[in-house]
Each structure stands twice: as structure tokens, then as C-alpha cells.
Amino acid sequence: FSSGSAHRLLGIEMVYGLVAGLGAACLLAAGALAAEVVDTSASAFVWPSWSTILAVLVLLVFAWLAHGKDQVALASASGASVGGKKRPPSVSFKPLGPSSPAGDRRRKETEEASAPPSSTWWRGCCGGGYSEDSFAPASSAPGGAASGAGAAAVGPPPGGRELHPKWAGMRPRGEGASPSVPNLAAFKPYPWGDHFPDHWVSQLGHTGDERALCAKLEAALASVQGPKDAMTMLRYLRARQGNVDKAASMYRNTQEWHLQTDLERRFRLREIDETIHQRFDDYWKLVGMAGRDRDGSPVLWERIGQSHAATITRVPHEFIQRHEVYSLTRLMQSMEELSFRDDRPHIYFTAVVDLDGMGLQHMRSAVLNLYKAMVRIDEDFYPEMVKRAIVVRAPWIFEKIWVIVKHFFDEGTRNKIQIAGRSNTIGALSPYIDPKYIPKALGGSADDVGGPFLEPFVSGGKGAMPEDLLEAIHRSCKED
């Protein structure tokens, strides 16, 4: 979200305001003309009724207020001055390029060693990291928690040792502090791709033709660094509809992006302090993994309508994107852990998107642009993870939003999205998910720890973000 794009959007909003004003003027003139035509016997000019004038004025005030809010949000993203007050600037999401010294250093580290570098301190957008001198492999304790005498020296500072509950919903209950709570220990800190058992290949469900094409794809990528297990190859192949050349190009672009940003590796190896990200988890994104679909795949629940759009737009665009990588990394780790527990690969999840609470505030241009940026990260760098997406409890405003938002997704993803009528929630979900896994809030019978929507495994939102969290986020991005 560059400064230039923010200013262009401000210009568009100003044009909208002028058009609204001209429209109101035309309404007044048309009303006056209509009154004059109807009352042909009147000797004086006749104005429309006071109720008509009042309605037009209300519309003008609403348009002006909406424009003012977007101006503040967009100026905040670009670092512009609003009302005489300098907003903290957003950091453009421009990863270290291949020609930069830091980018070359990170690439060399990744190519030369599979173990994390020693004597290195990293600073992510969320703040400080920890020294890898004390790094030790996780034990086989449930959830990958380190144990033993050296456990206290392993991992990031306090606040990053445990998972947010929304990433632990697929773990068995009874391994945590009480019989109904799972273990919240951090995932095992290893990269994906080196631990894919051979006997899983036959369980991926791909056709004979897909196996042959995956083999060609792997051969085409022999010189490209990155995981090339059977599941990864199948995801890229399907993301490009079986076209090996396009799948190879997508894979190369993805691995280059990962090398440049170096975010997923650091999140996996717990080199980034997650304290701020875990606090932000309660406000964005309001998702959680819990339950299974009828095929045994995990279910991701999302409550986008409960997010507080006004404060989300005050978060730097850079941090939002980094938090998306953090969320996708934790999502993948949750699926990987479940795969090992079930001893079969989980390549897909079913997504249920609850839009209850969505309103006009979610249609603001700043919110839509943030959402578009996150969708592009999902589609371009984490392909083919969604089996289906079922949208439930959609309000009347969603029809207007969907006209815009549907173009954010690739065609293959759009074809997986099902939109259910507001009165047919359980009817839309039950063919794919057993009611025992569906939250009571959606008509199911799932009864978990906290609330009717599987809280705390599915974040319910806490309203507006506190100012101290917003300040900490801005401050950490300045320090990065």
C-alpha cells in the first residue's frame, strides 16, 4: 500500500464526493422543477417538501463522513498528515531483493546450512528475536514442546512459547491445563518437506496422470531450492490446472519470494518474537481450526464480520501482510501436525466463513485493499490448500461486496466458494460437516470450552484494538 496508491484512492474518494454533491443538487433542481410543472396555477416558484430536502442533506452528511473516515485511514497508511497530526508511516511491503547484500546473505545461509545460523539475532516486524546459540531440537512431547533441563533456554521470549488457542483446536483435549483444554505448546521448529513419509504418497488421491506430471514438475525444478515432496508438487500442479510449465514458474516465483522475505522460515524456527502477533490474533484474522469435515479433513472457521474495521485500517500495511504469513505458517503447521497424528497427509481444509456482523464499515476502500493484499499472498505463495469455502449468514450488503471481492480470487478458488442463504446455515453445512463439529451458533451441536462458536479455538473478536497495541505495532515496524 504505497503512498502514491493511497493518494490516488483519496483522489477517487474526492471525485465520489463531488459526484454525490452534484447528484444532490440535481435532485433539488428536479424536485423544484417537478413542483413548478405540477402546480401550473402558482404564481411563485414552489420548492419540494422539507422532508425531501432533509433526506438529501442527510445523504450528503453521510457521504462526507464516510469520505473523512477513509481519508484518515488512507492517510495513515501513507504517512500523510490528517488534521494537522502526523500519522505513523506504513512500511511498504518490499522484501529484500536478490541484489541486496542482506538478501544475498540470507540466500547463502539457506543454501549452505539446514540448521539455523548461530550467533545471530533477528528483528521481525513484531520486535526482537532470540539467539540461535541456545537452539535445540524439540522433544517428542505432545505438540512439539521442548522438555528436560535445557527446555527453559529454548525458544523466543515469554509470550511466544505457547500457541494462540486458535492454532491448537485440532489437538486432542486433555493434554493441557485441564481435561477440556489441549496442549498449547509451540509447534516443532523444523521446515516442511524433509519429513514426508513415502507411504503417504499413495494416500494423496491423485490420478496416474497427475503422478506422472508431478514427476516431470519435480525434475524441472531440480535446480531450485525448496521442498519438493509429493504433496507440494501436487499443490502447485493443481493450482495451474495440470500445466507443468506454469506450475514450475509459480514454484520458482514462490521460492524466490520466500528467500527475499525470509518470514516463513523465521516463524517456523521461532526466530521472531510472536508476542505482538499473538495479541493481534484476537483482532485479526478471526479464524480458528476445530473439527473435521466428512472426509476427515480439518475445518477452518472464520468470523470476518466480527472484526473492527475502523481500527484494522490503522495497522500498517506491512504488519498486516507479515501477520498473514505468520497465520498461514501456523495453519500449515497445524495441518502438518495433524497429518503425523493421523498418519496420512492432509492436503486440504474446508473453510466456513461466517459473515454475521458484516456492515458498511467492511466496504470501505481501505479495508477492501487490505483484504485483497492478503488474498494475493494466499493465492500466489500458499496455493491449493482450500478444498471448499462455505459462506454463511451473509447480510444484504455482501451482495455488493462480493461483486468486488470475487475478482481478488483466482478462477479455481472462486469455483470452490459456495454462498448459502441466511436461513439455510445448517442445511448448507451438514452435507459436508457432521453437526457434532458445527458450532451451536450455526445450528450444530459442538460443545467446546468457552462459547457457542467454539471459543477460544475460534477467535470471536474483542472490538476496537487498544491504543497501546496499535502503538506497539507502529513502533516495532519503525524499528525493523
Side-chain angles (χ1 to χ4, degrees):
F1 204 125
S2 64
S3 175
S5 63
H7 290 157
R8 286 194 296 272
L9 285 171
L10 284 174
I12 293 172
E13 296 287 348
M14 293 175 69
V15 171
Y16 287 164
L18 289 174
V19 171
L22 289 173
C26 291
L27 284 173
L28 286 172
L33 181 61
E36 187 175 25
V37 170
V38 172
D39 193 3
T40 54
S41 61
S43 59
F45 185 78
V46 180
W47 285 92
S49 67
W50 284 108
S51 61
T52 302
I53 297 175
L54 182 61
V56 172
L57 289 176
V58 168
L59 287 174
L60 282 172
V61 170
F62 178 81
W64 177 75
L65 288 175
H67 169 66
K69 288 180 179 179
D70 275 347
Q71 186 180 33
V72 170
L74 292 170
S76 173
S78 63
S81 176
V82 180
K85 182 179 180 180
K86 183 70 176 178
R87 295 276 179 177
S90 170
V91 182
S92 296
F93 193 67
K94 296 179 180 179
L96 295 171
S99 61
S100 68
D104 293 338
R105 173 179 58 76
R106 290 181 182 176
R107 183 174 289 99
K108 184 177 180 181
E109 287 173 352
T110 309
E111 291 172 351
E112 292 180 352
S114 58
S118 62
S119 304
T120 303
W121 287 75
W122 299 88
R123 292 198 66 84
C125 191
C126 56
Y130 73 101
S131 173
E132 285 294 341
D133 288 335
S134 62
F135 180 83
S139 75
S140 58
S147 61
V154 179
R161 292 183 182 276
E162 293 190 341
L163 295 173
H164 189 285
K166 70 184 186 181
W167 305 122
M170 298 305 300
R171 287 178 172 175
R173 307 295 186 261
E175 294 181 352
S178 69
S180 60
V181 177
N183 190 346
L184 297 180
F187 293 115
K188 292 182 179 180
Y190 56 68
W192 176 251
D194 298 331
H195 307 274
F196 192 89
D198 292 337
H199 67 276
W200 283 5
V201 176
S202 61
Q203 302 180 54
L204 285 173
H206 48 6
T207 64
D209 289 342
E210 284 182 322
R211 290 190 184 188
L213 292 174
C214 282
K216 289 183 179 180
L217 177 59
E218 184 177 358
L221 297 171
S223 61
V224 182
Q225 188 177 5
K228 301 184 187 69
D229 57 273
M231 182 187 293
T232 300
M233 294 294 94
L234 184 59
R235 277 178 170 155
Y236 282 88
L237 184 71
R238 288 179 174 175
R240 289 298 175 261
Q241 292 76 48
N243 188 309
V244 173
D245 292 336
K246 290 182 178 180
S249 177
M250 183 184 193
Y251 184 90
R252 292 188 187 97
N253 291 337
T254 297
Q255 296 310 312
E256 180 67 18
W257 181 84
H258 280 304
L259 284 173
Q260 290 175 354
T261 61
D262 202 28
L263 287 174
E264 182 182 323
R265 183 188 71 85
R266 290 190 286 160
F267 278 127
R268 278 183 175 269
L269 300 181
R270 299 164 63 198
E271 292 179 351
I272 296 178
D273 178 14
E274 298 178 9
T275 306
I276 293 182
H277 286 282
Q278 290 191 4
R279 288 190 64 191
F280 193 55
D281 270 332
D282 289 328
Y283 302 93
W284 188 266
K285 298 169 57 175
L286 302 181
V287 299
M289 298 280 285
R292 300 177 185 248
D293 64 17
R294 293 190 181 274
D295 299 323
S297 301
V299 179
L300 178 78
W301 308 88
E302 180 168 7
R303 306 180 67 186
I304 192 171
Q306 301 301 312
S307 60
H308 194 271
T311 48
I312 293 300
T313 56
R314 294 175 60 192
V315 177
H317 203 62
E318 163 74 354
F319 184 85
I320 289 282
Q321 290 180 307
R322 291 191 181 208
H323 189 77
E324 184 69 6
V325 177
Y326 153 82
S327 299
L328 288 165
T329 302
R330 295 293 171 258
L331 172 61
M332 290 185 67
Q333 289 179 304
S334 177
M335 295 178 66
E336 292 160 12
E337 185 180 83
L338 182 64
S339 296
F340 282 107
R341 185 180 299 118
D342 292 349
D343 195 25
R344 70 181 182 93
H346 288 289
I347 184 171
Y348 292 117
F349 63 85
T350 289
V352 178
V353 184
D354 178 31
L355 299 185
D356 185 53
M358 177 173 282
L360 290 172
Q361 70 272 19
H362 296 95
M363 282 195 67
R364 293 166 53 190
S365 56
V367 177
L368 293 178
N369 274 281
L370 286 176
Y371 189 64
K372 180 179 181 180
M374 288 184 295
V375 168
R376 288 325 315 164
I377 291 176
D378 301 353
E379 297 275 272
D380 296 338
F381 307 122
Y382 295 86
E384 211 50 33
M385 294 178 65
V386 179
K387 179 190 300 184
R388 67 179 66 86
I390 308 171
V391 179
V392 298
R393 300 204 291 185
W396 66 270
I397 196 67
F398 178 71
E399 182 180 349
K400 307 298 180 184
I401 298 178
W402 182 240
V403 171
I404 302 172
V405 172
K406 68 180 181 181
H407 298 292
F408 297 170
F409 299 93
D410 294 338
E411 182 179 358
T413 303
R414 284 201 302 270
N415 294 336
K416 297 178 181 181
I417 299 175
Q418 307 173 27
I419 302 175
R422 189 168 181 86
S423 60
N424 189 37
T425 300
I426 190 66
L429 295 178
S430 57
Y432 307 103
I433 307 171
D434 192 301
K436 69 180 181 180
Y437 293 123
I438 299 175
K440 289 183 177 179
L442 299 182
S445 57
D447 186 10
D448 232 303
V449 179
F453 213 114
L454 306 181
E455 296 92 341
F457 304 118
V458 180
S459 300
K462 295 185 177 180
M465 279 186 291
E467 288 297 321
D468 70 306
L469 176 55
L470 285 166
E471 291 171 3
I473 290 173
H474 279 280
R475 186 168 57 251
S476 66
C477 286
K478 284 183 178 180
E479 293 172 356
D480 181 37

